[in-house]
Amino acid sequence: IDLLAGRAGPALARNQEALALRVKAYGEQHTTVAASLNGVGNAQAALGDHVGAEQTHRRALAIFESVLG
């Protein structure tokens, strides 16, 4: 919601928090973690960190490919 409202900074913080909780709950290789990584990547891109966003999205993609084939 923050990202859609133009508040990328708070969106990044909330997505990073959600990511940490999901990693703790599910482990690194879970689709829920990958979905959270996509949220982090979207916020990074909105803040202009395109290199970081690409790295984060690639990490998410690797998890999706590993888990879903």
Side-chain angles (χ1 to χ4, degrees), residues 22-50:
R22 288 176 172 175
V23 167
K24 186 175 179 179
Y26 299 106
E28 290 282 340
Q29 294 295 311
H30 195 279
T31 56
T32 302
V33 170
S36 286
L37 283 165
N38 276 331
V40 171
N42 290 340
Q44 288 172 316
L47 288 167
D49 180 10
H50 301 291

Side-chain angles (χ1 to χ4, degrees), residues 14-42 44 55-68:
R14 289 173 201 254
N15 278 289
Q16 288 171 325
E17 182 180 339
L19 173 61
L21 291 171
R22 288 176 172 175
V23 167
K24 186 175 179 179
Y26 299 106
E28 290 282 340
Q29 294 295 311
H30 195 279
T31 56
T32 302
V33 170
S36 286
L37 283 165
N38 276 331
V40 171
N42 290 340
Q44 288 172 316
Q55 292 171 345
T56 303
H57 282 120
R58 287 185 184 276
R59 185 174 159 205
L61 178 60
I63 294 169
F64 280 126
E65 289 177 337
S66 173
V67 173
L68 301 176

